[in-house]
């Protein structure tokens, strides 16, 4: 499905922010920044003649973009392009977590993908915070 979406899309990009940026900005603003970065990359790939309309999952539009957009609560269940973007992002994030698991095997990133599961919390308490953990997430567990 991920390959089908990528092959069918007029354009897509992955916007990344570091754990340090998430700690500095908070998860909401860091997510908006990642979306902004992704949209900017897509715009570079498309022709200037392309009519662009952006659907955004959630309550907030992406700030500082000069294009029409609409925020859609529950958009991943209602708007195909949001669903497709969610799948691409999840597959990319999961692959990144598997890479992190190779560097930090004690934390089990390949299994829980960094979500606050019981296993993840147990590993944090046992091994402490790694170099890639968000401090704002971990401070309530260690």
């Amino acid at each position: 499905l991920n390959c089908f979406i990528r092959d069918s899309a007029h354009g897509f990009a992955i916007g990344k922010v570091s754990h340090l940026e998430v700690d500095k900005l908070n998860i909401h603003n860091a997510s908006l920044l990642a979306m902004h970065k992704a949209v900017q990359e897509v715009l570079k790939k498309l022709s200037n003649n392309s009519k662009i309309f952006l659907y955004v999952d959630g309550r907030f539009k992406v700030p500082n973009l000069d294009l029409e957009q609409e925020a859609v609560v529950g958009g991943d269940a209602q708007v195909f392009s949001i669903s497709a973007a969610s799948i691409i992002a999840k597959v990319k994030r999961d692959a990144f977590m598997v890479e992190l698991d190779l560097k930090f095997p004690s934390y089990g990133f390949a299994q829980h993908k960094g979500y606050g599961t019981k296993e993840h919390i147990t590993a944090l308490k046992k091994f402490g915070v790694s170099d890639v953990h968000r401090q704002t997430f971990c401070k309530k567990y260690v």
Side-chain angles (χ1 to χ4, degrees):
L1 185 58
N2 184 46
C3 292
F4 172 77
I5 293 168
R6 288 172 175 248
D7 292 344
S8 302
H10 291 288
F12 73 91
I14 304 291
K16 296 185 228 177
V17 294
S18 72
H19 62 288
L20 300 172
E21 289 173 296
V22 176
D23 279 337
K24 180 180 176 185
L25 300 173
N26 74 40
I27 192 77
H28 168 74
N29 289 317
S31 296
L32 291 173
L33 176 59
M35 285 186 252
H36 188 274
K37 289 179 177 185
V39 171
Q40 293 292 57
E41 284 302 309
V42 169
L43 291 174
K44 288 179 192 175
K45 297 175 185 179
L46 299 176
S47 73
N48 290 337
N49 298 334
S50 300
K51 175 74 173 149
I52 307 293
F53 186 92
L54 178 65
Y55 286 106
V56 183
D57 191 24
R59 296 186 346 228
F60 302 94
K61 295 178 182 179
V62 180
N64 305 315
L65 286 177
D66 188 26
L67 55 94
E68 288 186 75
Q69 55 181 305
E70 179 182 342
V72 182
V73 175
D76 56 345
Q78 300 178 54
V79 180
F80 178 76
S81 59
I82 294 175
S83 300
S86 294
I87 291 168
I88 289 172
K90 176 109 173 74
V91 168
K92 184 68 173 179
R93 183 182 183 282
D94 287 356
F96 176 66
M97 296 310 293
V98 170
E99 288 176 28
L100 282 181
D101 191 68
L102 296 173
K103 295 178 184 176
F104 302 95
S106 301
Y107 294 94
F109 289 130
Q111 287 75 41
H112 58 67
K113 306 296 189 279
Y115 292 102
T117 64
K118 181 180 174 184
E119 292 78 16
H120 190 182
I121 305 309
T122 300
L124 278 172
K125 289 178 179 177
K126 184 174 181 180
F127 302 108
V129 178
S130 77
D131 293 342
V132 296
H133 276 97
R134 292 178 300 158
Q135 300 299 313
T136 51
F137 171 80
C138 295
K139 68 181 177 187
K140 56 188 166 192
Y141 298 112
V142 249

